[in-house]
Amino acid sequence: MNILDKIVIDKRKEVALRKSLIPLKQLETSVLFERSTISLSERLKNSTSGIIAEHKRRSPSKSTINQNLNVQDVAKGYEDAGVCGMSVLTDGKYFGGSLDDLLLARASCNLSLLRKEFIIDTYQILEAKAYGADVILLIAAILTKEEIKQFSELAKSLDLDVLLEVHNLEELQKSIMPTIDMLGVNNRNLKTFEVSLETSKTLSNHIPDDFVKVSESGISSIEAIKELQPYGYKGFLIGENFMKTDNPGESATKFIKDLAGF
């Protein structure tokens, strides 16, 4: 059993509990449920940097990254840096995040916000909308083709962008459908945790041009972005690189400035 399998088992229990505590009606009457969303895919198409910066306290592969920062400061810092969007981890057990982080980020900035979560139930998509997300993440490795279709259709009906994450060609082939906006290639091998940009390069030819291509994991240098841009990648998800510093916003500002001058 790999880490993803363990997370999904725990996530099913967690979602069942949340559903019993907060009924759908309550989510649908939330103030944020009616807000107009900010399209991350459109922002990436029109950006020169394509940076999606992450708020992440810890991860299964790196344990603690940074527990000392508050979400508001990180969100404001990223917005000032000029990132295209912000990814907010909402998983508690493995990443130290929560839906409150999403809420606080939403109150602090006008960035397009991605709810970074292991979505296995439509309930979580309605939660994402109610807590101020603009984008949801769907992970092909944990979903069937039918679930990807059902979840992405629901997201589009709520005016949410969909970033679909794949690790290999098999996952990619089952995921290509019109309700997906962005296809994200995760460069991390879930069995070994090793990271290789070759994954993004190899899969790039198989991603139709209708989708915005996003590369995830292992992007810690300007060189990595320059290496991937010729393969058609417009989005680059950067988590630990900024979060492991004392001031993620400042780190992102410097990174984007250096990227522009490279």
Side-chain angles (χ1 to χ4, degrees):
M1 189 188 288
N2 67 29
I3 187 68
L4 204 49
D5 299 329
K6 288 181 188 152
I7 292 172
V8 169
I9 288 167
D10 286 331
K11 193 57 61 180
R12 291 197 189 283
K13 293 176 193 161
E14 182 196 315
V15 173
L17 177 64
R18 293 185 78 88
K19 284 166 95 168
S20 70
L21 294 173
I22 302 172
L24 277 178
K25 272 278 177 284
Q26 198 173 321
L27 292 176
E28 289 169 345
T29 53
S30 115
V31 175
L32 292 171
F33 209 83
E34 296 306 316
R35 67 174 277 273
S36 298
T37 52
I38 304 161
S39 171
L40 178 59
S41 56
E42 288 305 316
R43 288 205 165 180
L44 290 175
K45 282 177 197 169
N46 300 309
S47 167
T48 48
S49 76
I51 304 296
I52 305 162
E54 196 151 80
H55 179 269
K56 175 161 66 172
R57 293 187 181 87
R58 55 187 164 88
S59 75
S61 61
K62 289 277 173 73
S63 60
T64 300
I65 297 163
N66 197 331
Q67 301 276 22
N68 306 321
L69 301 168
N70 73 60
V71 184
Q72 296 101 310
D73 291 344
V74 175
K76 282 185 195 133
Y78 282 159
E79 185 170 34
D80 291 344
V83 304
C84 287
M86 178 176 173
S87 164
V88 182
L89 264 298
T90 60
D91 174 78
K93 182 170 181 180
Y94 295 91
F95 290 88
S98 73
L99 276 164
D100 284 345
D101 289 338
L102 187 58
L103 212 50
L104 288 167
R106 178 75 289 146
S108 312
C109 72
N110 283 314
L111 289 169
S112 182
L113 296 182
L114 163 70
R115 182 186 186 188
K116 187 95 175 280
E117 183 54 271
F118 302 86
I119 290 180
I120 41 93
D121 192 295
T122 52
Y123 181 83
Q124 293 161 287
I125 300 168
L126 293 155
E127 259 183 345
K129 178 75 173 171
Y131 281 80
D134 302 284
V135 194
I136 59 156
L137 175 74
L138 296 179
I139 302 172
I142 60 174
L143 300 170
T144 63
K145 185 172 184 170
E146 290 66 37
E147 285 171 327
I148 293 168
K149 184 173 186 292
Q150 181 195 2
F151 294 173
S152 58
E153 282 175 357
L154 172 61
K156 296 317 292 175
S157 76
L158 296 169
D159 206 22
L160 295 168
D161 265 13
V162 179
L163 168 62
L164 192 123
E165 176 180 299
V166 301
H167 298 85
N168 55 44
L169 187 57
E170 186 189 354
E171 290 175 8
L172 175 60
Q173 285 169 337
K174 76 173 179 184
S175 307
I176 291 173
M177 52 188 80
T179 40
I180 305 295
D181 301 286
M182 296 160 281
L183 270 162
V185 178
N186 193 329
N187 300 307
R188 189 184 304 281
N189 182 315
L190 291 172
K191 295 184 175 70
T192 63
F193 280 132
E194 283 171 10
V195 172
S196 169
L197 296 184
E198 291 308 311
T199 311
S200 281
K201 292 178 186 176
T202 307
L203 291 181
S204 67
N205 294 332
H206 300 278
I207 301 174
D209 291 337
D210 328 8
F211 303 100
V212 176
K213 295 181 193 176
V214 178
S215 187
E216 310 169 19
S217 294
I219 298 166
S220 55
S221 68
I222 285 156
E223 288 77 14
I225 290 177
K226 291 294 176 187
E227 214 178 300
L228 290 171
Q229 281 175 334
Y231 290 86
Y233 285 92
K234 293 288 288 174
F236 305 93
L237 184 70
I238 300 182
E240 289 156 23
N241 200 43
F242 301 146
M243 281 300 292
K244 66 186 179 191
T245 66
D246 293 333
N247 191 325
E250 261 178 31
S251 307
T253 302
K254 184 180 184 310
F255 191 94
I256 290 170
K257 204 172 278 177
D258 290 349
L259 179 63
F262 190 83

